[in-house]
Amino acid sequence: MTTTGIFLLTILALGFLITFQIAKASEYVSVLKGEKKAFEQSNKVNAFLMVVFLVLGLIGVWWCNHLLFDKTLMAQPSASDHGENIDRMLYITIVITGIVFIITQILLFWFAFKYQYSSKREAFFYPHNNKLELIWTTVPAITLCILVGFGLYYWFRITGDAPKDSLVVEITGKQFGWIYRYPGKDNTFGKKYYRMIDEGKNNQLGLNWLDTTIHKKDHNGNPAGTVEIKADPATYDDIVTNEAIYMVKDQPVKLVINSRDVVHDVGLSHFRLKMDAVPGTPTTMWFTPKYTTEEMRKITGNPKFEYEISCDQMCGNGHYSMKGLIKVVTKDEFILWRAKQKAAYALAFPEKSATPENPVPAAADSSTKATAVAHEVKPVIAAAKP
């Protein structure tokens, strides 16, 4: 054991010994003065300490807010239009619950002081009052229903139909990172199939690039038929990247969210939004970015500021490292970035990449097939050990 450890254990032992001796001394004093007198004196001290704790506690709450508020996201404006509504709801909730908290705490500790034990006063037994019970049950219930109602209203707006001019981006979570996909010039996402995922061939999402025959097998390894997967021409110009999501300021963006393995959660704290990424069940949400990354750097005073995507669902032992980036840029900057991107198919098959004159690569012709063998069982997702 280190010297520091021995020192800390010694301090703890001395603290316990001092507390024990004080307790014994109090017991001896009680015997000398009489139990009743000692009880009354101790009760007065405790009642006074209640008031002290109330005052110091409220000062501490104010001081912590004054000291730490600027370090929270609430000190920064929401970076999305929907986020402004979320902030407004949060402030309303904090004001309502804060007022209730302060009133109840003042009453709690003041009553403990005011109605401390006294031999000159008898306790008043007040068992029931229908009017009071109706008030303190109905008022909070109505208030909560209103807050929940506004929350549902905004939730349905966020997850509802996005404007027609929205930029559509697919984001897929995997242990432990994010994959982003943009549709190509056809503005259509190509089909994908999880059994087509092949990291070695640069097909992170299982895009249907080739005609493929899936030979199925049952649990015993016996043949159980085949499935023909046709190549989808819409996949040839899809852009797939792990770098970052690029969005345009003041243009709505719709996120189509998926997961490749376990449940993740797309957390957009600067935009005040989040959404689960569920395997096999796409989820969506949309919003309109208000500030470019450069503008937010000036607002925050942080020249290295970046919009981040966090995974807000514990997804395995590498959960802490699952961070993505969002770049909010102007329309011209986005067009320039988009022009520099190559389709995932072109990166995987540079010699067979699609062109406007030849939208369907030869490799996708029905005469060329890829063959895969698969068991007819549901994919088993092995979550990482906690």
Side-chain angles (χ1 to χ4, degrees):
M1 183 178 291
T2 63
T3 304
T4 303
I6 296 174
F7 182 68
L8 291 175
L9 287 176
T10 304
I11 291 176
L12 290 174
L14 289 175
F16 175 78
L17 182 61
I18 291 170
T19 303
F20 178 77
Q21 292 298 329
I22 291 175
K24 292 298 292 182
S26 299
E27 183 180 345
Y28 296 146
V29 171
S30 298
V31 173
L32 294 174
K33 290 186 175 180
E35 289 290 342
K36 183 177 180 180
K37 187 175 181 180
F39 168 76
E40 291 177 350
Q41 189 177 37
S42 176
N43 195 66
K44 288 180 179 180
V45 172
N46 290 333
F48 174 75
L49 290 177
M50 286 288 187
V51 176
V52 174
F53 185 84
L54 169 64
V55 174
L56 294 179
L58 293 177
I59 293 175
V61 170
W62 173 84
W63 176 249
C64 287
N65 179 76
H66 176 74
L67 190 66
L68 302 175
F69 180 78
D70 289 340
K71 297 182 180 180
T72 68
L73 284 175
M74 296 303 294
Q76 305 170 7
S78 169
S80 72
D81 54 345
H82 290 321
E84 290 181 337
N85 297 325
I86 301 300
D87 280 353
R88 187 179 300 112
M89 285 183 53
L90 182 59
Y91 277 121
I92 292 173
T93 303
I94 289 175
V95 169
I96 294 174
T97 55
I99 291 173
V100 173
F101 170 81
I102 291 174
I103 291 175
T104 53
Q105 295 307 301
I106 290 175
L107 291 176
L108 174 66
F109 288 98
W110 173 249
F111 280 13
F113 172 78
K114 181 176 177 59
Y115 298 108
Q116 61 183 280
Y117 170 79
S118 174
S119 58
K120 301 177 181 179
R121 182 176 61 236
E122 293 184 1
F124 177 63
F125 186 60
Y126 193 72
H128 186 69
N129 187 303
N130 287 334
K131 183 181 292 185
L132 282 177
E133 291 186 5
L134 185 64
I135 291 174
W136 70 50
T137 301
T138 305
V139 173
I142 293 175
T143 304
L144 288 175
C145 285
I146 293 174
L147 293 175
V148 171
F150 277 107
L152 289 174
Y153 172 74
Y154 292 134
W155 173 255
F156 287 129
R157 285 193 60 190
I158 294 168
T159 58
D161 294 333
K164 293 182 179 180
D165 63 339
S166 297
L167 171 68
V168 182
V169 186
E170 182 186 76
I171 175 170
T172 301
K174 67 172 185 176
Q175 292 176 317
F176 298 95
W178 302 102
I179 307 168
Y180 318 114
R181 179 164 68 137
Y182 292 80
K185 294 181 179 180
D186 58 4
N187 204 32
T188 302
F189 283 121
K191 294 180 181 179
K192 56 185 181 178
Y193 188 47
Y194 72 92
R195 283 176 174 163
M196 305 288 288
I197 294 174
D198 191 337
E199 295 273 2
K201 294 182 178 179
N202 200 32
N203 195 356
Q204 303 180 73
L205 297 174
L207 300 181
N208 293 0
W209 288 333
L210 306 174
D211 288 347
T212 305
T213 300
I214 302 293
H215 295 280
K216 299 190 295 183
K217 292 185 178 182
D218 59 21
H219 293 280
N220 297 320
N222 300 317
T226 60
V227 176
E228 298 290 336
I229 305 296
K230 293 294 183 180
D232 183 5
T235 61
Y236 300 139
D237 60 356
D238 285 356
I239 298 170
V240 179
T241 177
N242 302 95
E243 177 190 353
I245 290 184
Y246 277 75
M247 301 176 182
V248 181
K249 175 188 174 182
D250 294 331
Q251 179 182 355
V253 57
K254 176 181 178 181
L255 297 183
V256 181
I257 301 169
N258 298 277
S259 173
R260 215 179 69 172
D261 37 46
V262 300
V263 176
H264 300 283
D265 191 293
V266 176
L268 308 176
S269 56
H270 298 100
F271 301 90
R272 314 295 197 257
L273 300 171
K274 61 178 291 185
M275 178 62 71
D276 284 341
V278 184
T281 306
T283 55
T284 64
M285 65 176 175
W286 72 274
F287 59 93
T288 303
K290 293 177 54 185
Y291 309 103
T292 65
T293 301
E294 288 299 326
E295 289 174 339
M296 205 61 174
R297 286 173 179 172
K298 294 177 181 178
I299 292 173
T300 60
N302 178 11
K304 297 182 179 180
F305 173 86
E306 296 286 356
Y307 290 116
E308 293 184 358
I309 304 173
S310 61
C311 180
D312 291 350
Q313 176 69 39
M314 183 63 185
C315 58
N317 57 5
H319 166 72
Y320 68 93
S321 63
M322 193 167 171
K323 183 180 74 171
L325 295 178
I326 295 177
K327 298 285 188 179
V328 180
V329 296
T330 63
K331 188 173 183 179
D332 291 340
E333 289 174 329
F334 180 79
I335 293 173
L336 180 61
W337 171 82
R338 186 71 172 265
K340 296 178 180 178
Q341 304 307 303
K342 288 187 177 181
Y345 183 89
L347 294 174
F349 305 100
E351 73 285 357
K352 301 176 181 178
S353 59
T355 64
E357 295 77 18
N358 181 29
V360 182
D365 188 81
S366 58
S367 62
T368 305
K369 291 187 178 182
T371 303
V373 179
H375 292 280
E376 181 56 15
V377 296
K378 294 181 178 180
V380 179
I381 306 300
K385 295 182 180 180

